[in-house]
Amino acid sequence: MSKVQLKNIWKIFGPNPQHVFETVDKNATRSEVLRNTGHVIGVRDVSLDVAEGEIFVVMGLSGSGKSTLVRCLSRLIEPTAGSVIINDDDVMAMDSEALRELRRHKVSMVFQRFGLFPHRRVVDNVAYGLEVQGMGVEERRAQASQILELVGLQGWGQRFPHELSGGMQQRVGLARALAVDPEIMLCDEPFSALDPLIRRDMQNELLNLQKSLRKTIIFITHDFLEAIKLGDRIAIMKDGEIVQVGTAQQIIANPVNDYVREFTQDVPRAKVLTARTVMMPVTGGETFSGEGVSGSMTLEEVTPHVIAADKLVPVLDDDGQLIGIIDRRTVLLAMTED
Protein backbone atom coordinates (compact mmCIF):
# COMPACT_ATOMS: atom_id res chain seq x y z
CA MET A 1 0.00 0.00 0.00
CA SER A 2 1.43 3.37 -1.04
CA LYS A 3 1.81 5.89 1.76
CA VAL A 4 3.42 8.58 -0.38
CA GLN A 5 3.12 9.07 -4.12
CA LEU A 6 5.07 11.58 -6.15
CA LYS A 7 3.75 12.03 -9.67
CA ASN A 8 5.77 13.87 -12.32
CA ILE A 9 7.33 16.34 -9.90
CA TRP A 10 9.26 19.23 -11.45
CA LYS A 11 11.05 22.02 -9.63
CA ILE A 12 12.59 24.80 -11.68
CA PHE A 13 14.43 27.65 -9.96
CA GLY A 14 14.43 31.10 -11.52
CA PRO A 15 12.30 34.22 -12.05
CA ASN A 16 9.70 32.58 -14.32
CA PRO A 17 9.71 28.82 -13.68
CA GLN A 18 6.16 28.14 -14.90
CA HIS A 19 6.87 29.70 -18.29
CA VAL A 20 10.09 27.71 -18.62
CA PHE A 21 8.29 24.50 -17.69
CA GLU A 22 5.62 25.09 -20.32
CA THR A 23 7.99 26.07 -23.12
CA VAL A 24 11.30 24.30 -22.56
CA ASP A 25 12.37 21.23 -24.50
CA LYS A 26 11.76 18.52 -21.93
CA ASN A 27 14.71 16.54 -23.32
CA ALA A 28 17.18 19.40 -22.87
CA THR A 29 19.93 18.82 -20.34
CA ARG A 30 20.16 20.82 -17.12
CA SER A 31 23.14 22.79 -18.47
CA GLU A 32 21.31 23.53 -21.74
CA VAL A 33 18.26 24.82 -19.86
CA LEU A 34 20.49 27.01 -17.69
CA ARG A 35 22.34 28.38 -20.71
CA ASN A 36 19.18 29.04 -22.74
CA THR A 37 16.83 30.31 -20.03
CA GLY A 38 18.85 31.25 -16.95
CA HIS A 39 16.78 28.77 -14.93
CA VAL A 40 17.97 25.71 -13.02
CA ILE A 41 16.15 22.39 -13.05
CA GLY A 42 16.23 21.14 -9.46
CA VAL A 43 13.92 18.16 -9.94
CA ARG A 44 12.93 16.74 -13.31
CA ASP A 45 9.76 14.66 -13.79
CA VAL A 46 10.16 12.45 -10.70
CA SER A 47 7.55 9.81 -9.93
CA LEU A 48 7.89 7.55 -6.88
CA ASP A 49 5.72 5.35 -4.66
CA VAL A 50 6.78 4.84 -1.04
CA ALA A 51 5.08 2.03 0.86
CA GLU A 52 3.73 2.34 4.38
CA GLY A 53 6.38 1.37 6.95
CA GLU A 54 9.20 1.49 4.39
CA ILE A 55 12.59 3.14 4.74
CA PHE A 56 13.01 4.61 1.27
CA VAL A 57 16.44 6.10 0.64
CA VAL A 58 17.07 8.82 -1.94
CA MET A 59 20.74 9.26 -2.71
CA GLY A 60 22.99 11.12 -5.08
CA LEU A 61 25.92 13.49 -5.22
CA SER A 62 25.72 17.10 -4.07
CA GLY A 63 23.46 19.03 -6.43
CA SER A 64 21.61 15.93 -7.65
CA GLY A 65 18.26 17.26 -6.38
CA LYS A 66 17.65 14.87 -3.50
CA SER A 67 17.16 17.52 -0.79
CA THR A 68 15.00 19.63 -3.10
CA LEU A 69 12.84 16.59 -3.80
CA VAL A 70 12.21 15.79 -0.14
CA ARG A 71 11.29 19.41 0.57
CA CYS A 72 8.79 19.36 -2.30
CA LEU A 73 7.01 16.52 -0.51
CA SER A 74 5.82 18.74 2.34
CA ARG A 75 5.88 21.89 0.19
CA LEU A 76 8.70 23.50 2.12
CA ILE A 77 9.69 24.07 -1.49
CA GLU A 78 6.78 24.52 -3.88
CA PRO A 79 7.00 22.19 -6.90
CA THR A 80 6.70 23.84 -10.29
CA ALA A 81 4.53 20.98 -11.54
CA GLY A 82 3.32 17.53 -10.53
CA SER A 83 1.38 16.13 -7.59
CA VAL A 84 2.15 14.80 -4.11
CA ILE A 85 -0.30 12.31 -2.61
CA ILE A 86 -0.16 11.36 1.08
CA ASN A 87 -2.80 8.98 2.40
CA ASP A 88 -4.77 9.61 -0.81
CA ASP A 89 -4.83 13.36 -0.02
CA ASP A 90 -3.49 15.78 -2.63
CA VAL A 91 -0.89 17.89 -0.84
CA MET A 92 -0.73 20.32 -3.76
CA ALA A 93 -4.41 21.16 -3.27
CA MET A 94 -4.06 21.91 0.45
CA ASP A 95 -4.59 25.45 1.71
CA SER A 96 -2.22 26.97 4.27
CA GLU A 97 -4.19 25.64 7.27
CA ALA A 98 -4.35 22.09 5.93
CA LEU A 99 -0.65 22.24 5.15
CA ARG A 100 0.14 23.36 8.70
CA GLU A 101 -1.88 20.45 10.05
CA LEU A 102 0.01 18.06 7.79
CA ARG A 103 3.35 19.31 9.11
CA ARG A 104 2.21 19.36 12.73
CA HIS A 105 0.66 15.92 12.88
CA LYS A 106 1.63 13.68 9.96
CA VAL A 107 5.05 14.67 8.65
CA SER A 108 8.19 15.42 10.68
CA MET A 109 11.63 16.34 9.43
CA VAL A 110 15.13 15.63 10.73
CA PHE A 111 17.90 17.82 9.31
CA GLN A 112 21.67 17.51 9.06
CA ARG A 113 21.98 20.63 11.19
CA PHE A 114 20.38 19.80 14.50
CA GLY A 115 18.50 23.11 14.73
CA LEU A 116 18.02 22.87 18.49
CA PHE A 117 16.99 25.92 20.51
CA PRO A 118 20.11 26.72 22.60
CA HIS A 119 18.13 28.57 25.30
CA ARG A 120 15.69 25.68 25.86
CA ARG A 121 16.36 22.57 27.86
CA VAL A 122 16.51 19.26 26.01
CA VAL A 123 13.05 18.17 27.13
CA ASP A 124 11.53 21.41 25.85
CA ASN A 125 13.35 21.06 22.54
CA VAL A 126 11.83 17.61 22.14
CA ALA A 127 8.40 18.90 23.18
CA TYR A 128 8.43 21.84 20.78
CA GLY A 129 6.17 20.20 18.18
CA LEU A 130 3.69 19.26 20.90
CA GLU A 131 3.76 22.85 22.12
CA VAL A 132 2.91 24.04 18.60
CA GLN A 133 0.01 21.57 18.62
CA GLY A 134 -1.31 23.28 21.77
CA MET A 135 -0.56 20.55 24.32
CA GLY A 136 -0.19 21.62 27.96
CA VAL A 137 3.21 21.96 29.61
CA GLU A 138 3.09 18.95 31.93
CA GLU A 139 1.61 16.60 29.36
CA ARG A 140 4.08 17.51 26.61
CA ARG A 141 7.06 17.28 28.95
CA ALA A 142 5.93 13.86 30.12
CA GLN A 143 5.55 12.69 26.52
CA ALA A 144 8.92 14.19 25.58
CA SER A 145 10.57 12.39 28.50
CA GLN A 146 9.22 9.07 27.24
CA ILE A 147 10.66 9.74 23.78
CA LEU A 148 14.03 10.72 25.28
CA GLU A 149 14.10 7.35 27.03
CA LEU A 150 13.27 5.68 23.72
CA VAL A 151 16.34 7.22 22.02
CA GLY A 152 18.66 6.50 24.94
CA LEU A 153 18.72 9.95 26.57
CA GLN A 154 16.94 9.22 29.82
CA GLY A 155 18.09 11.67 32.50
CA TRP A 156 19.31 14.30 30.04
CA GLY A 157 16.07 16.24 29.72
CA GLN A 158 17.08 19.12 31.98
CA ARG A 159 20.40 19.76 30.25
CA PHE A 160 20.93 22.39 27.56
CA PRO A 161 21.98 21.40 24.01
CA HIS A 162 25.53 22.75 24.39
CA GLU A 163 26.10 20.25 27.21
CA LEU A 164 25.54 17.32 24.82
CA SER A 165 27.87 15.75 22.28
CA GLY A 166 27.08 15.93 18.57
CA GLY A 167 25.66 12.43 18.53
CA MET A 168 23.48 13.16 21.54
CA GLN A 169 22.23 16.37 19.93
CA GLN A 170 21.21 14.42 16.85
CA ARG A 171 19.33 12.01 19.11
CA VAL A 172 17.47 15.03 20.46
CA GLY A 173 16.63 16.03 16.87
CA LEU A 174 15.36 12.52 16.21
CA ALA A 175 13.36 12.55 19.44
CA ARG A 176 11.80 15.90 18.51
CA ALA A 177 10.63 14.45 15.20
CA LEU A 178 9.23 11.35 16.91
CA ALA A 179 7.49 13.23 19.74
CA VAL A 180 4.51 14.26 17.60
CA ASP A 181 4.07 10.61 16.55
CA PRO A 182 4.24 11.38 12.82
CA GLU A 183 3.19 8.92 10.16
CA ILE A 184 6.04 10.03 7.89
CA MET A 185 9.58 11.12 8.71
CA LEU A 186 11.73 13.03 6.24
CA CYS A 187 15.42 12.70 7.09
CA ASP A 188 17.76 14.97 5.14
CA GLU A 189 21.31 13.64 5.62
CA PRO A 190 20.78 13.63 9.41
CA PHE A 191 23.96 11.72 10.25
CA SER A 192 26.43 13.08 7.69
CA ALA A 193 27.99 15.65 10.07
CA LEU A 194 28.74 13.02 12.73
CA ASP A 195 31.97 11.14 13.35
CA PRO A 196 32.01 7.67 11.73
CA LEU A 197 31.50 5.68 14.94
CA ILE A 198 28.71 7.95 16.17
CA ARG A 199 27.16 7.84 12.72
CA ARG A 200 27.11 4.05 12.81
CA ASP A 201 25.49 4.13 16.25
CA MET A 202 22.79 6.50 14.99
CA GLN A 203 22.11 4.27 11.99
CA ASN A 204 21.68 1.31 14.32
CA GLU A 205 19.47 3.41 16.60
CA LEU A 206 17.20 4.32 13.70
CA LEU A 207 16.92 0.69 12.60
CA ASN A 208 16.12 -0.43 16.15
CA LEU A 209 13.45 2.24 16.50
CA GLN A 210 11.96 1.29 13.16
CA LYS A 211 11.46 -2.31 14.29
CA SER A 212 8.96 -1.15 16.89
CA LEU A 213 7.60 2.10 15.43
CA ARG A 214 7.26 1.14 11.74
CA LYS A 215 7.24 4.70 10.47
CA THR A 216 7.34 5.57 6.80
CA ILE A 217 10.79 7.11 6.40
CA ILE A 218 12.25 8.93 3.41
CA PHE A 219 15.96 9.20 4.08
CA ILE A 220 18.38 11.38 2.10
CA THR A 221 22.08 10.51 1.89
CA HIS A 222 25.08 10.75 -0.42
CA ASP A 223 26.67 7.64 1.12
CA PHE A 224 25.85 4.37 -0.63
CA LEU A 225 27.01 2.25 2.31
CA GLU A 226 24.56 4.13 4.53
CA ALA A 227 21.86 3.67 1.89
CA ILE A 228 22.27 -0.10 1.70
CA LYS A 229 22.35 -0.42 5.48
CA LEU A 230 19.15 1.55 6.05
CA GLY A 231 17.08 1.33 2.91
CA ASP A 232 14.39 -1.18 2.04
CA ARG A 233 14.68 0.41 -1.41
CA ILE A 234 17.00 3.02 -2.86
CA ALA A 235 16.48 5.68 -5.53
CA ILE A 236 19.59 7.17 -7.11
CA MET A 237 19.37 10.72 -8.48
CA LYS A 238 21.48 12.64 -10.97
CA ASP A 239 20.82 16.14 -12.34
CA GLY A 240 17.35 16.18 -10.79
CA GLU A 241 16.27 12.85 -12.29
CA ILE A 242 15.79 9.38 -10.86
CA VAL A 243 18.36 7.13 -12.52
CA GLN A 244 17.50 3.81 -10.85
CA VAL A 245 15.20 2.48 -8.13
CA GLY A 246 15.50 -0.89 -6.47
CA THR A 247 16.77 -2.86 -3.51
CA ALA A 248 20.47 -2.68 -2.70
CA GLN A 249 20.89 -6.15 -4.15
CA GLN A 250 19.18 -5.21 -7.41
CA ILE A 251 21.22 -2.04 -7.85
CA ILE A 252 24.56 -3.69 -7.04
CA ALA A 253 23.87 -6.71 -9.25
CA ASN A 254 22.42 -4.72 -12.16
CA PRO A 255 23.54 -1.06 -12.22
CA VAL A 256 21.84 0.66 -15.14
CA ASN A 257 24.81 2.83 -16.14
CA ASP A 258 28.33 3.92 -15.22
CA TYR A 259 27.04 6.60 -12.84
CA VAL A 260 25.31 3.99 -10.69
CA ARG A 261 28.21 1.57 -11.09
CA GLU A 262 30.56 4.15 -9.55
CA PHE A 263 28.38 4.29 -6.44
CA THR A 264 28.59 0.53 -6.02
CA GLN A 265 32.27 -0.04 -6.73
CA ASP A 266 33.42 0.09 -3.10
CA VAL A 267 30.56 -2.01 -1.73
CA PRO A 268 31.55 -5.39 -0.20
CA ARG A 269 29.42 -7.39 -2.62
CA ALA A 270 29.71 -10.65 -0.67
CA LYS A 271 28.03 -8.99 2.33
CA VAL A 272 25.15 -7.51 0.32
CA LEU A 273 24.26 -9.76 -2.61
CA THR A 274 22.10 -12.78 -1.78
CA ALA A 275 21.71 -16.24 -3.26
CA ARG A 276 18.33 -15.20 -4.65
CA THR A 277 19.94 -12.24 -6.43
CA VAL A 278 22.51 -14.29 -8.36
CA MET A 279 20.91 -17.75 -8.62
CA MET A 280 20.29 -19.47 -11.96
CA PRO A 281 16.87 -20.83 -12.97
CA VAL A 282 16.07 -24.50 -12.62
CA THR A 283 15.73 -26.13 -16.06
CA GLY A 284 15.16 -29.72 -14.96
CA GLY A 285 17.50 -32.67 -14.82
CA GLU A 286 20.08 -31.01 -12.60
CA THR A 287 21.98 -33.03 -10.02
CA PHE A 288 22.12 -31.33 -6.64
CA SER A 289 24.57 -31.50 -3.77
CA GLY A 290 23.70 -30.85 -0.13
CA GLU A 291 20.47 -29.71 1.50
CA GLY A 292 20.41 -26.33 -0.16
CA VAL A 293 20.76 -22.72 0.96
CA SER A 294 18.20 -20.04 1.73
CA GLY A 295 17.63 -17.42 -0.95
CA SER A 296 18.12 -14.71 1.69
CA MET A 297 21.65 -15.83 2.61
CA THR A 298 24.43 -13.49 1.56
CA LEU A 299 27.17 -14.73 -0.75
CA GLU A 300 29.52 -14.60 2.23
CA GLU A 301 27.24 -17.07 4.01
CA VAL A 302 26.72 -19.18 0.89
CA THR A 303 30.41 -19.55 0.00
CA PRO A 304 31.22 -22.42 2.43
CA HIS A 305 28.28 -24.42 1.03
CA VAL A 306 29.29 -24.07 -2.62
CA ILE A 307 32.96 -24.75 -1.88
CA ALA A 308 32.06 -27.99 -0.13
CA ALA A 309 29.68 -29.09 -2.88
CA ASP A 310 30.78 -30.97 -5.98
CA LYS A 311 27.49 -30.34 -7.78
CA LEU A 312 24.90 -27.58 -8.09
CA VAL A 313 23.48 -26.29 -4.79
CA PRO A 314 19.70 -25.76 -4.60
CA VAL A 315 18.39 -22.36 -3.48
CA LEU A 316 15.22 -22.49 -1.36
CA ASP A 317 12.58 -19.95 -0.36
CA ASP A 318 11.30 -19.49 3.20
CA ASP A 319 8.94 -22.43 2.76
CA GLY A 320 11.72 -24.75 1.63
CA GLN A 321 10.61 -24.72 -2.00
CA LEU A 322 13.20 -24.88 -4.78
CA ILE A 323 13.53 -21.50 -6.51
CA GLY A 324 16.92 -21.73 -8.23
CA ILE A 325 20.41 -23.18 -8.29
CA ILE A 326 23.87 -21.86 -7.51
CA ASP A 327 27.46 -23.04 -7.89
CA ARG A 328 31.03 -21.89 -7.22
CA ARG A 329 31.44 -20.14 -10.56
CA THR A 330 28.22 -18.14 -10.11
CA VAL A 331 29.26 -16.98 -6.66
CA LEU A 332 32.79 -16.04 -7.72
CA LEU A 333 31.56 -14.06 -10.73
CA ALA A 334 28.98 -12.23 -8.62
CA MET A 335 31.63 -11.18 -6.10
CA THR A 336 33.79 -9.73 -8.90
CA GLU A 337 32.94 -6.36 -10.40
CA ASP A 338 31.98 -6.26 -14.06
Side-chain angles (χ1 to χ4, degrees), residues 288-330:
F288 299 125
S289 177
E291 297 180 355
V293 297
S294 167
S296 61
M297 291 174 66
T298 65
L299 298 190
E300 186 176 59
E301 296 168 325
V302 164
T303 298
H305 296 271
V306 297
I307 289 176
D310 56 1
K311 298 183 178 67
L312 296 169
V313 175
V315 180
L316 311 175
D317 64 14
D318 293 339
D319 297 322
Q321 300 299 308
L322 179 66
I323 56 174
I325 50 177
I326 200 168
D327 60 10
R328 296 173 198 163
R329 181 176 181 275
T330 303

Coordinates of all heavy atoms in Angstrom, one line a residue, residues 288-330:
F288 N 21.8 -32.2 -7.7 CA 22.1 -31.3 -6.6 C 23.1 -32.0 -5.6 O 23.2 -33.2 -5.5 CB 20.8 -30.9 -5.9 CG 19.9 -30.2 -6.8 CD1 18.6 -30.7 -7.0 CD2 20.3 -29.1 -7.5 CE1 17.7 -30.0 -7.8 CE2 19.4 -28.4 -8.4 CZ 18.1 -28.9 -8.5
S289 N 23.7 -31.1 -4.8 CA 24.6 -31.5 -3.8 C 24.2 -30.8 -2.5 O 24.0 -29.5 -2.5 CB 26.0 -31.2 -4.1 OG 26.9 -31.6 -3.1
G290 N 24.0 -31.5 -1.4 CA 23.7 -30.8 -0.1 C 22.2 -30.6 0.0 O 21.4 -30.9 -0.8
E291 N 21.9 -30.0 1.2 CA 20.5 -29.7 1.5 C 20.0 -28.4 0.9 O 18.8 -28.1 1.0 CB 20.3 -29.7 3.0 CG 20.6 -31.1 3.7 CD 20.4 -31.0 5.2 OE1 20.1 -29.9 5.7 OE2 20.6 -32.1 5.8
G292 N 20.8 -27.6 0.4 CA 20.4 -26.3 -0.2 C 20.7 -25.2 0.8 O 21.0 -25.3 1.9
V293 N 20.5 -24.0 0.2 CA 20.8 -22.7 1.0 C 19.5 -21.8 0.8 O 18.8 -21.9 -0.2 CB 22.0 -22.0 0.5 CG1 23.3 -22.8 0.7 CG2 21.9 -21.6 -1.0
S294 N 19.3 -21.0 1.8 CA 18.2 -20.0 1.7 C 18.5 -18.9 0.7 O 19.6 -18.4 0.6 CB 18.0 -19.4 3.1 OG 17.1 -18.3 3.0
G295 N 17.5 -18.5 0.0 CA 17.6 -17.4 -1.0 C 18.0 -16.1 -0.3 O 18.6 -15.2 -1.0
S296 N 17.8 -16.0 1.0 CA 18.1 -14.7 1.7 C 19.5 -14.7 2.2 O 20.0 -13.7 2.7 CB 17.1 -14.5 2.8 OG 17.2 -15.5 3.8
M297 N 20.3 -15.8 2.1 CA 21.6 -15.8 2.6 C 22.5 -15.0 1.7 O 22.4 -15.0 0.5 CB 22.2 -17.3 2.7 CG 21.5 -18.1 3.7 SD 22.0 -19.9 3.6 CE 23.7 -19.8 4.0
T298 N 23.5 -14.3 2.3 CA 24.4 -13.5 1.6 C 25.4 -14.4 0.9 O 25.6 -15.6 1.3 CB 25.2 -12.5 2.4 OG1 26.0 -13.2 3.4 CG2 24.2 -11.6 3.2
L299 N 26.2 -13.9 -0.1 CA 27.2 -14.7 -0.7 C 28.3 -15.1 0.2 O 28.9 -16.2 0.1 CB 27.8 -14.0 -1.9 CG 26.8 -13.6 -3.1 CD1 27.5 -13.1 -4.3 CD2 25.9 -14.8 -3.4
E300 N 28.5 -14.3 1.2 CA 29.5 -14.6 2.2 C 29.1 -15.8 3.0 O 29.9 -16.7 3.3 CB 29.7 -13.4 3.2 CG 30.8 -13.6 4.2 CD 31.0 -12.3 5.0 OE1 30.0 -11.9 5.7 OE2 32.1 -11.8 5.0
E301 N 27.8 -15.9 3.3 CA 27.2 -17.1 4.0 C 27.1 -18.3 3.1 O 27.3 -19.4 3.6 CB 25.9 -16.7 4.6 CG 25.9 -15.6 5.6 CD 24.5 -15.1 6.0 OE1 23.7 -15.0 5.1 OE2 24.3 -14.7 7.1
V302 N 26.9 -18.1 1.8 CA 26.7 -19.2 0.9 C 28.0 -19.8 0.5 O 28.1 -21.1 0.3 CB 26.0 -18.7 -0.4 CG1 26.1 -19.7 -1.5 CG2 24.6 -18.4 -0.1
T303 N 29.1 -19.1 0.5 CA 30.4 -19.6 0.0 C 30.9 -20.9 0.6 O 31.3 -21.8 -0.2 CB 31.5 -18.5 0.2 OG1 31.2 -17.3 -0.5 CG2 32.9 -19.0 -0.2
P304 N 30.8 -21.1 1.9 CA 31.2 -22.4 2.4 C 30.4 -23.6 1.9 O 30.9 -24.7 1.7 CB 31.0 -22.3 3.9 CG 31.0 -20.8 4.2 CD 30.4 -20.2 3.0
H305 N 29.1 -23.4 1.6 CA 28.3 -24.4 1.0 C 28.7 -24.8 -0.4 O 28.7 -26.0 -0.8 CB 26.8 -24.0 1.1 CG 26.3 -23.8 2.4 ND1 25.7 -24.8 3.2 CD2 26.3 -22.6 3.2 CE1 25.4 -24.3 4.4 NE2 25.7 -23.0 4.4
V306 N 29.0 -23.8 -1.2 CA 29.3 -24.1 -2.6 C 30.7 -24.6 -2.8 O 31.0 -25.4 -3.7 CB 29.1 -22.8 -3.5 CG1 27.6 -22.4 -3.5 CG2 30.0 -21.7 -3.1
I307 N 31.6 -24.2 -1.8 CA 33.0 -24.7 -1.9 C 32.9 -26.2 -1.5 O 33.7 -27.0 -2.1 CB 33.9 -24.0 -0.9 CG1 34.1 -22.6 -1.5 CG2 35.2 -24.7 -0.7 CD1 35.0 -21.7 -0.5
A308 N 32.1 -26.6 -0.6 CA 32.1 -28.0 -0.1 C 31.3 -28.9 -1.1 O 31.5 -30.1 -1.1 CB 31.4 -28.1 1.3
A309 N 30.5 -28.3 -2.0 CA 29.7 -29.1 -2.9 C 30.4 -29.4 -4.2 O 31.2 -28.6 -4.7 CB 28.4 -28.3 -3.2
D310 N 30.2 -30.6 -4.7 CA 30.8 -31.0 -6.0 C 29.8 -30.9 -7.1 O 30.1 -31.2 -8.3 CB 31.4 -32.4 -5.9 CG 30.4 -33.4 -5.5 OD1 29.2 -33.1 -5.2 OD2 30.8 -34.6 -5.4
K311 N 28.5 -30.5 -6.8 CA 27.5 -30.3 -7.8 C 26.8 -29.0 -7.5 O 27.2 -28.2 -6.7 CB 26.5 -31.5 -7.7 CG 27.1 -32.9 -8.0 CD 26.0 -33.9 -7.9 CE 26.6 -35.3 -8.3 NZ 27.5 -35.8 -7.2
L312 N 25.7 -28.8 -8.3 CA 24.9 -27.6 -8.1 C 24.2 -27.6 -6.7 O 23.8 -28.7 -6.2 CB 23.8 -27.5 -9.2 CG 24.3 -27.3 -10.6 CD1 23.2 -27.5 -11.6 CD2 25.0 -26.0 -10.8
V313 N 24.1 -26.4 -6.1 CA 23.5 -26.3 -4.8 C 22.1 -25.7 -5.0 O 22.0 -24.6 -5.6 CB 24.3 -25.4 -3.9 CG1 23.6 -25.2 -2.5 CG2 25.7 -26.0 -3.6
P314 N 21.0 -26.3 -4.5 CA 19.7 -25.8 -4.6 C 19.5 -24.5 -3.7 O 20.0 -24.5 -2.6 CB 18.8 -26.9 -4.1 CG 19.6 -27.8 -3.3 CD 21.0 -27.6 -3.8
V315 N 18.8 -23.6 -4.2 CA 18.4 -22.4 -3.5 C 16.9 -22.5 -3.1 O 16.1 -22.7 -4.0 CB 18.7 -21.1 -4.3 CG1 18.3 -19.8 -3.5 CG2 20.1 -21.0 -4.7
L316 N 16.6 -22.3 -1.9 CA 15.2 -22.5 -1.4 C 14.6 -21.2 -0.8 O 15.3 -20.3 -0.3 CB 15.2 -23.5 -0.2 CG 16.0 -24.8 -0.5 CD1 16.0 -25.7 0.7 CD2 15.4 -25.6 -1.7
D317 N 13.3 -21.1 -1.0 CA 12.6 -20.0 -0.4 C 12.3 -20.2 1.1 O 12.7 -21.3 1.7 CB 11.3 -19.6 -1.1 CG 10.2 -20.7 -1.1 OD1 10.4 -21.7 -0.3 OD2 9.3 -20.7 -1.9
D318 N 11.6 -19.3 1.8 CA 11.3 -19.5 3.2 C 10.5 -20.7 3.5 O 10.5 -21.2 4.7 CB 10.6 -18.2 3.7 CG 11.5 -17.0 3.7 OD1 12.7 -17.2 3.6 OD2 10.9 -15.9 3.7
D319 N 9.7 -21.2 2.5 CA 8.9 -22.4 2.8 C 9.7 -23.7 2.4 O 9.1 -24.8 2.4 CB 7.6 -22.3 2.0 CG 6.8 -21.2 2.4 OD1 6.7 -20.9 3.7 OD2 6.1 -20.5 1.6
G320 N 10.9 -23.6 2.0 CA 11.7 -24.8 1.6 C 11.5 -25.2 0.2 O 11.9 -26.3 -0.2
Q321 N 10.9 -24.4 -0.6 CA 10.6 -24.7 -2.0 C 11.8 -24.3 -2.9 O 12.4 -23.3 -2.7 CB 9.3 -24.0 -2.5 CG 8.1 -24.4 -1.7 CD 7.8 -25.9 -1.8 OE1 7.7 -26.5 -2.9 NE2 7.6 -26.5 -0.7
L322 N 12.1 -25.1 -3.9 CA 13.2 -24.9 -4.8 C 12.9 -23.7 -5.7 O 11.8 -23.7 -6.4 CB 13.5 -26.1 -5.6 CG 14.6 -26.0 -6.7 CD1 15.9 -25.9 -6.0 CD2 14.6 -27.3 -7.6
I323 N 13.8 -22.7 -5.7 CA 13.5 -21.5 -6.5 C 14.7 -21.2 -7.5 O 14.6 -20.4 -8.4 CB 13.3 -20.2 -5.7 CG1 14.5 -20.0 -4.7 CG2 12.0 -20.3 -4.9 CD1 14.4 -18.7 -3.9
G324 N 15.8 -21.9 -7.3 CA 16.9 -21.7 -8.2 C 18.1 -22.6 -7.9 O 18.0 -23.4 -7.0
I325 N 19.2 -22.4 -8.6 CA 20.4 -23.2 -8.3 C 21.6 -22.2 -8.3 O 21.6 -21.1 -8.9 CB 20.6 -24.3 -9.3 CG1 20.5 -23.7 -10.8 CG2 19.6 -25.4 -9.1 CD1 20.7 -24.7 -11.8
I326 N 22.7 -22.7 -7.6 CA 23.9 -21.9 -7.5 C 25.1 -22.8 -7.5 O 25.0 -23.9 -7.1 CB 23.8 -21.0 -6.2 CG1 24.7 -19.8 -6.3 CG2 24.0 -21.8 -5.0 CD1 24.5 -18.8 -5.2
D327 N 26.2 -22.3 -7.9 CA 27.5 -23.0 -7.9 C 28.6 -22.1 -7.6 O 28.5 -20.9 -7.5 CB 27.7 -23.9 -9.2 CG 27.8 -23.0 -10.4 OD1 27.8 -21.7 -10.3 OD2 27.7 -23.5 -11.5
R328 N 29.8 -22.7 -7.6 CA 31.0 -21.9 -7.2 C 31.3 -20.8 -8.2 O 31.6 -19.6 -7.9 CB 32.3 -22.8 -7.2 CG 32.2 -23.9 -6.1 CD 33.4 -24.8 -6.3 NE 33.2 -26.1 -5.6 CZ 33.9 -27.2 -5.8 NH1 34.9 -27.1 -6.8 NH2 33.7 -28.3 -5.2
R329 N 31.2 -21.1 -9.5 CA 31.4 -20.1 -10.6 C 30.5 -18.9 -10.5 O 30.9 -17.8 -10.6 CB 31.3 -20.8 -11.9 CG 31.6 -19.9 -13.1 CD 31.6 -20.6 -14.4 NE 31.9 -19.7 -15.5 CZ 31.0 -19.0 -16.1 NH1 29.8 -19.0 -15.7 NH2 31.4 -18.2 -17.1
T330 N 29.2 -19.2 -10.2 CA 28.2 -18.1 -10.1 C 28.6 -17.2 -9.0 O 28.5 -16.0 -9.1 CB 26.8 -18.7 -9.9 OG1 26.5 -19.6 -11.0 CG2 25.8 -17.6 -9.8

